[in-house]
Amino acid sequence: MGAPEKTTTSNNNSMQRVKVYRLNDDGKWDDQGTGHVTIDYLERSEDLGLFVIDEEDNETLLVHRISSDDIYRKQEDTIISWRDSEYSSDLALSFQETTGCSYIWDHICNVQRNLHFNTLSNETYHGANSELRELPEVELSTLPSILKVVVDSSITDQLCVTELILHDQKFFRKLMDLFRVCEDLENYDGLHIIYKIVRGIILLNSPQIFEKIFSDELIMDIVGCLEYDPDVPHVHHRNFLKEHVVFKEAIPIKDPLALSKIHQTYRISYLKDVVLPRVLDEATFASMNSIIHSNNGMVVTLLKDDTTFIKELFARLKSPSTAPESKTNLVYFLQEFCNLSKSLQMVQQLRLFRDLVNEGIFDVIADIFQSQDKKLILTGTDILMLFVSQDPTLLRSYVSRQEGVSLIGLLVKAGQRDAIVDIFYERHLDQLLDVITSSCPPYGTAQAVHRSTSSNGNSGNQTSAKPEILLNIYDLLCFCILQHPYKIKSNFLLSGVIEKVLSLTCRREKYLVVAAIRFVRTLISLKDEQLMNHIAKNNLFKPIIDVFVGNGSRYNLLNSAVLELFEYIRKENLKILLKYLVETYWEQLVQFDSLPSIQSLKVRYEQAMEQATNQTGPYALNSRRRVDERALEKEEEDYFNEDRYCCLYHVF
């Protein structure tokens, strides 16, 4: 009947703590008391019901038979309400924790689904659908029949298939035994069918089935079945999970339920993000995310309610005898713990943060900021930002006291060193560029003379990133241009950032092409002659001109972005780019001379040339230009040599 295990009746922790309310005749909610709720069988009955036991005297506050006819509502993540036909009144349970509300809500839905299935079994499945009253026996010869039942069922039949699988306690065990036999015999036809069966069962999107297949008993065999997708090469997911995934406990977690949920969350994430992203539909993907979110909230709740655990955590963080490596792992754990707290309701999250402040988390962060490990400083900054974003008064109150003065000083000192910015440019800029270049087809011309030395040197083997990720990288690089102009020459030019971002013009997504053009527009807004000479010298506008010409007369975002770029060059009278554009590409641009921006660009170029001729004579511009270029090349060479020395200084 899909009932929860009997052990839940004794699980009187904060997750199932509720207040019971009844709507009176005046339309107001009367508080009936506080207790703990569970779902269990009614006395002398096979029906399931809600039981609420008073937390003080263990008296029964509420007994409610769950019916398929009742309409239950979940409100604000912590309230479940319904109209009770037996009492002819509205009832509501207000939960202390969102995880408890989700847990009971899922079980109510499962019970109602079971009741609905029983009704369908009695009324509907006689006749045409009678073959769905039981599954074929799990044998090698019946695998095609099982696959047909699982995959080819209608939406209504899927409900029946789900219940038949759940009611057959030996179904998964038999299927996994058969999987191992097929694998030992290298029976790939059988393995491919089993893969499709398991995939189809996952797409049934049943929380109860998920609870079974994500268990310790079945998970590795389930992952094994999903290795045999006939449409992709065999990937050894089990080897990775067994040999490379190590669960590290910075501090021992003694609660078995918390440990179970941590392991389950990792498995679900791995299946969702690595094994099955190609085949999951939106509903199943959302269900898995919901389980992960619920598990995270449950883990944080269980750990924060364990006062011994929290006190031991901070005792080790503050102890001078804690080994550096151990303290580093504790800091990473604290960061993850604070991040997982986002799964809690806002009120509970704020309460947790206040408790952490009382335990001395700001003192711990101040100690972190004195570390020589820049990555550790970033971790401490991330923790601090979580507190600032949730309740800045906590930090404000701390720094106003005497013990908070040192933290302010450390924050100012960190800002003066530009530590975070240095880490980004030294270690991570090339990684972002590798993501772009590995996600774009090579441009058909010699576009770059500068090639960055990638941190790993094998960016071509990376998997193409999603367009949204590429757009985020574009946003970040534009931010760097505006916020760190002093870093642009030494990092952007040496790393070939411009050339690599312009490789986005080869993408089929037009908004990414537009993003590449707007990146250049942002870059030239610095009006830096060295950057503009770099663009002209290396012919970096070629991809932009090519996509503009290829777009033809279509008036769209791409057209507007290029014209706005030209208009900015004209208005700001950027002579280096004016000369480069007109003298290099006018034969291609002349077909668009009916456009005001193109006409104005040519006029401004002619004015600049005429002005230069009138002032210095017909040959002075070019001769001076050659002198300037030689001087600029010498200056650029000196600048880069100096930058390399600085980089070596940082390394050694």
Side-chain angles (χ1 to χ4, degrees):
M1 295 293 293
E5 296 178 359
K6 295 290 185 178
T7 54
T8 61
T9 60
S10 61
N11 189 20
N12 288 343
N13 53 38
S14 61
M15 290 192 308
Q16 279 78 45
R17 190 167 184 262
V18 297
K19 276 186 175 292
V20 181
Y21 291 93
R22 189 185 304 276
L23 191 67
N24 62 28
D25 295 336
D26 297 329
K28 297 180 180 180
W29 290 99
D30 291 334
D31 187 347
Q32 303 293 302
T34 303
H36 295 89
V37 62
T38 186
I39 295 179
D40 210 334
Y41 289 100
L42 299 173
E43 189 175 357
R44 293 187 297 275
S45 173
E46 293 186 358
D47 295 335
L48 286 163
L50 286 168
F51 293 81
V52 180
I53 307 300
D54 192 292
E55 65 179 359
E56 294 182 357
D57 57 16
N58 288 330
E59 293 293 327
T60 301
L61 291 177
L62 174 70
V63 177
H64 166 71
R65 185 191 306 271
I66 300 175
S67 166
S68 61
D69 298 326
D70 289 333
I71 299 176
Y72 299 88
R73 296 181 176 86
K74 185 181 179 186
Q75 304 169 359
E76 301 178 0
D77 294 330
T78 56
I79 297 174
I80 297 175
S81 62
W82 68 93
R83 175 76 176 176
D84 195 304
S85 56
E86 294 184 17
Y87 294 95
S88 299
S89 63
D90 289 291
L91 295 170
L93 298 178
S94 178
F95 288 77
Q96 179 177 324
E97 306 286 352
T98 56
T99 50
C101 184
S102 298
Y103 177 80
I104 295 297
W105 174 257
D106 289 342
H107 279 70
I108 291 175
C109 293
N110 288 337
V111 172
Q112 282 199 305
R113 190 155 52 84
N114 290 344
L115 293 171
H116 183 58
F117 165 69
N118 290 337
T119 302
L120 290 174
S121 297
N122 293 331
E123 298 177 0
T124 308
Y125 288 97
H126 297 291
N129 294 325
S130 59
E131 71 275 6
L132 293 180
R133 293 183 63 82
E134 62 179 14
L135 291 171
E137 187 65 27
V138 181
E139 298 174 351
L140 185 60
S141 60
T142 61
L143 286 178
S145 300
I146 297 174
L147 177 62
K148 182 176 179 62
V149 169
V150 171
V151 176
D152 294 341
S153 300
S154 65
I155 295 177
T156 304
D157 290 345
Q158 287 176 3
L159 179 65
C160 177
V161 172
T162 299
E163 296 304 330
L164 289 173
I165 292 173
L166 290 171
H167 288 168
D168 186 348
Q169 299 295 324
K170 298 181 180 180
F171 175 79
F172 283 111
R173 189 71 280 148
K174 291 178 180 178
L175 187 62
M176 296 305 102
D177 290 342
L178 186 57
F179 160 71
R180 286 193 292 271
V181 170
C182 289
E183 193 170 43
D184 290 341
L185 297 176
E186 298 184 356
N187 182 346
Y188 291 104
D189 290 338
L191 291 170
H192 291 160
I193 296 177
I194 292 175
Y195 161 81
K196 294 177 182 178
I197 291 173
V198 172
R199 180 188 64 185
I201 290 173
I202 290 174
L203 293 177
L204 291 174
N205 197 16
S206 164
Q208 289 174 296
I209 286 180
F210 288 154
E211 194 68 29
K212 284 182 175 289
I213 65 177
F214 297 149
S215 66
D216 293 336
E217 181 186 4
L218 292 177
I219 183 62
M220 295 308 294
D221 284 334
I222 293 293
V223 172
C225 294
L226 295 173
E227 291 179 1
Y228 290 94
D229 183 347
D231 298 328
V232 298
H234 187 195
V235 180
H236 298 279
H237 296 296
R238 286 170 294 177
N239 289 347
F240 174 78
L241 291 172
K242 291 177 181 177
E243 298 175 8
H244 300 286
V245 176
V246 179
F247 176 59
K248 294 183 179 180
E249 290 182 280
I251 184 170
I253 298 174
K254 300 175 182 178
D255 190 311
L257 181 57
L259 279 174
S260 173
K261 292 301 178 183
I262 290 171
H263 293 311
Q264 186 185 69
T265 299
Y266 180 81
R267 294 165 188 153
I268 299 172
S269 300
Y270 186 82
L271 282 172
K272 175 177 67 72
D273 299 331
V274 180
V275 182
L276 292 172
R278 192 175 60 87
V279 300
L280 289 179
D281 56 31
E282 290 185 8
T284 310
F285 188 86
S287 294
M288 289 187 173
N289 279 335
S290 178
I291 296 172
I292 292 170
H293 183 81
S294 178
N295 282 358
N296 287 339
M298 185 179 296
V299 169
V300 174
T301 298
L302 292 168
L303 294 182
K304 77 179 180 66
D305 290 346
D306 186 346
T307 55
T308 304
F309 177 85
I310 297 296
K311 289 188 179 299
E312 184 179 354
L313 170 63
F314 279 91
R316 293 191 183 188
L317 282 166
K318 296 177 182 179
S319 173
S321 63
T322 303
E325 183 179 356
S326 178
K327 183 167 289 189
T328 298
N329 290 332
L330 288 169
V331 172
Y332 292 155
F333 173 82
L334 183 61
Q335 177 197 29
E336 188 170 0
F337 181 72
C338 292
N339 278 320
L340 289 180
S341 69
K342 296 175 183 178
S343 301
L344 300 175
Q345 276 191 312
M346 183 62 69
V347 173
Q348 296 158 355
Q349 187 176 359
L350 292 176
R351 188 183 303 140
L352 170 62
F353 278 15
R354 290 191 179 98
D355 291 341
L356 294 178
V357 170
N358 293 334
E359 293 291 340
I361 193 169
F362 288 144
D363 295 331
V364 172
I365 293 174
D367 183 58
I368 292 170
F369 284 166
Q370 298 180 67
S371 169
Q372 298 301 311
D373 186 341
K374 292 183 178 181
K375 185 178 179 182
L376 200 63
I377 293 174
L378 281 176
T379 304
T381 305
D382 182 58
I383 298 172
L384 192 61
M385 288 303 298
L386 281 171
F387 278 80
V388 172
S389 63
Q390 291 300 325
D391 189 357
T393 59
L394 293 174
L395 180 60
R396 193 178 302 125
S397 174
Y398 174 78
V399 299
S400 66
R401 303 195 301 267
Q402 183 62 36
E403 61 266 29
V405 174
S406 62
L407 180 57
I408 286 291
L410 289 166
L411 285 171
V412 173
K413 186 178 179 181
Q416 290 173 342
R417 291 201 310 259
D418 285 331
I420 297 174
V421 175
D422 288 340
I423 290 173
F424 168 75
Y425 283 106
E426 291 173 11
R427 302 183 186 179
H428 303 300
L429 178 61
D430 281 341
Q431 294 175 354
L432 292 178
L433 297 177
D434 287 346
V435 173
I436 292 178
T437 54
S438 66
S439 303
C440 299
Y443 194 73
T445 61
Q447 33 174 343
V449 294
H450 296 293
R451 300 290 182 187
S452 68
T453 303
S454 169
S455 58
N456 55 19
N458 62 349
S459 62
N461 295 328
Q462 296 180 8
T463 304
S464 178
K466 294 180 180 179
E468 294 81 2
I469 294 177
L470 298 175
L471 202 60
N472 288 337
I473 295 176
Y474 149 76
D475 288 334
L476 178 59
L477 293 176
C478 286
F479 172 85
C480 292
I481 292 172
L482 299 175
Q483 298 299 321
H484 312 135
Y486 62 94
K487 291 275 187 183
I488 297 306
K489 291 180 182 178
S490 60
N491 290 282
F492 273 35
L493 296 186
L494 282 173
S495 299
V497 174
I498 308 172
E499 297 91 320
K500 292 179 179 180
V501 172
L502 282 173
S503 67
L504 289 172
T505 57
C506 298
R507 295 280 302 201
R508 58 182 178 83
E509 300 88 355
K510 293 301 180 186
Y511 60 88
L512 289 178
V513 179
V514 172
I517 297 167
R518 288 177 175 167
F519 168 82
V520 174
R521 165 66 176 81
T522 304
L523 188 65
I524 66 173
S525 68
L526 297 178
K527 300 179 183 177
D528 186 287
E529 288 195 4
Q530 192 169 354
L531 285 169
M532 290 188 286
N533 272 296
H534 177 81
I535 291 172
K537 180 179 178 180
N538 295 286
N539 194 19
L540 298 185
F541 271 18
K542 179 171 175 51
I544 297 177
I545 300 300
D546 285 351
V547 296
F548 178 69
V549 173
N551 188 60
S553 59
R554 289 188 290 274
Y555 183 71
N556 49 27
L557 280 176
L558 192 156
N559 178 277
S560 299
V562 176
L563 293 180
E564 198 276 332
L565 174 67
F566 292 165
E567 188 68 10
Y568 180 82
I569 293 172
R570 181 192 69 81
K571 284 184 177 180
E572 299 299 324
N573 196 23
L574 304 179
K575 296 178 182 179
I576 295 173
L577 296 181
L578 270 172
K579 186 174 187 300
Y580 161 58
L581 267 176
V582 175
E583 293 184 1
T584 307
Y585 291 111
W586 184 250
E587 289 185 3
Q588 292 172 264
L589 296 176
V590 70
Q591 59 182 300
F592 304 101
D593 64 352
S594 59
L595 298 173
S597 297
I598 302 297
Q599 291 178 359
S600 302
L601 189 74
K602 181 67 179 298
V603 171
R604 176 54 63 92
Y605 164 76
E606 292 172 346
Q607 290 173 345
M609 295 301 102
E610 182 180 355
Q611 183 181 12
T613 301
N614 292 338
Q615 289 180 353
T616 61
Y619 302 105
L621 178 65
N622 287 336
S623 61
R624 182 179 178 183
R625 175 73 172 179
R626 285 192 294 271
V627 173
D628 287 347
E629 284 183 351
R630 285 194 296 270
L632 194 60
E633 288 174 0
K634 180 65 168 61
E635 179 187 348
E636 181 177 344
E637 182 179 352
D638 293 342
Y639 183 89
F640 286 151
N641 287 338
E642 178 184 356
D643 183 75
R644 288 193 182 96
Y645 173 79
C646 293
C647 291
L648 289 173
Y649 176 80
H650 287 308
V651 171
F652 295 105

